[in-house]
Amino acid sequence: MLTLFVSFHTLAGSKANANSYEMDYIKIPTLEPIPRSWIPPSLLQDTNNLLKTYIIENGKSMTKSDGILVNTLESIEQSSLLALNGGKVIEGLPLVTAIGLLPPLYFEDHQPLAWLDDQPAGSVVYVSFGSRTAITREQLRELGNGLLGSGCGFVWVVKDKKVDREDGKELVDVIGDELMERVKEKGMVVKHWVNQESILKHPAVGGFLSHCGWNSVTEAMWHGVHVLAWPQHGDQKINADLVERIGLGTWEKSWSWGGGEIVMREQIAEKIKEVMGNKLLRSQAMRIREEARNGIELGRGSKKGLTELIKMLKKERS
């Protein structure tokens, strides 16, 4: 996503890329083409809008900075980092340093939901689409029935309003009386903020149905929880592609994003069963977890990146 962010101001005005705006992809030098359907629609409009203006102006400003720090693992995004630091994406860009995965900071003692303590190890799917994404009530009810149909235990965080707004509606008003009663048999549904880190690290959690916001992706990597990606907007399709490429999870690309066509309960149930039963995905997620943690303990990854940054800053100040 950073490669798109820093180069978009050149792509938007490039004759070489003019055709790609009318075709099915956007081409960034040295990297694989990005499908047009993965790009936020507002960036592809002919007229300027708030998001497009923001990305163009900030992309230009990044070339004037002293460095760019990214919360990612160097080993999983080598090609992008090499392209950015080799001047292939845009000339004049400062050094881009991978300093992730940054470990969670447990400054408060948050207890996970007590319900999880009674569930078998790896049996529960955690379902959350972040604090900035709302799903239609029709889709919420299909999702709830899909979770029940999967036969898996679940912790489901329901959000009914976009961004960080609260709507004052009770949970039963959102998902309905009948579904509210049925979900009690297999899972737990909440309509308030939960500590996601505490849930993902709980041994009962064996999968994550996620919108693939970057924070959620890095938290899943840190805790070794494999992902069923259902991106909704913004950078999330690009993140979902990374999740699939590195083996952290799977992405059902036919599922709509941003309130499009309703995904039916049967599809959801089948996909959750498939992902929760996939031992290969589980082992790959644990491999990524160990790689992230070893990077800190053995002086690689984030520790190496931060150490190099400190040396550079000391040198400039001396």
Side-chain angles (χ1 to χ4, degrees), residues 167-230:
D167 62 358
K169 295 287 184 181
E170 296 296 327
L171 181 58
V172 68
D173 297 324
V174 177
I175 68 173
D177 293 294
E178 180 184 352
L179 184 56
M180 186 72 184
E181 285 302 311
R182 292 176 61 214
V183 295
K184 293 176 183 177
E185 302 168 12
K186 286 296 293 182
M188 187 167 189
V189 188
V190 296
K191 191 173 175 286
H192 56 74
W193 183 87
V194 298
N195 187 281
Q196 182 162 287
E197 291 273 5
S198 295
I199 293 174
L200 287 173
K201 75 175 183 179
H202 197 285
V205 175
F208 184 10
L209 174 53
S210 172
H211 63 311
C212 285
W214 189 244
N215 284 340
S216 290
V217 171
T218 58
E219 288 166 7
M221 285 193 277
W222 182 261
H223 294 292
V225 179
H226 60 290
V227 172
L228 171 54
W230 191 351

Side-chain angles (χ1 to χ4, degrees), residues 26 49 54 58 64 109 116 234 242 280 316:
I26 298 295
N49 53 69
Y54 171 83
N58 281 273
K64 302 172 185 175
D109 184 21
L116 283 171
L242 178 69
L280 176 60
E316 288 182 354

Side-chain angles (χ1 to χ4, degrees), residues 310-318:
I310 292 168
K311 286 180 180 177
M312 180 187 76
L313 292 174
K314 285 182 175 178
K315 185 176 180 180
E316 288 182 354
R317 295 180 66 181
S318 61

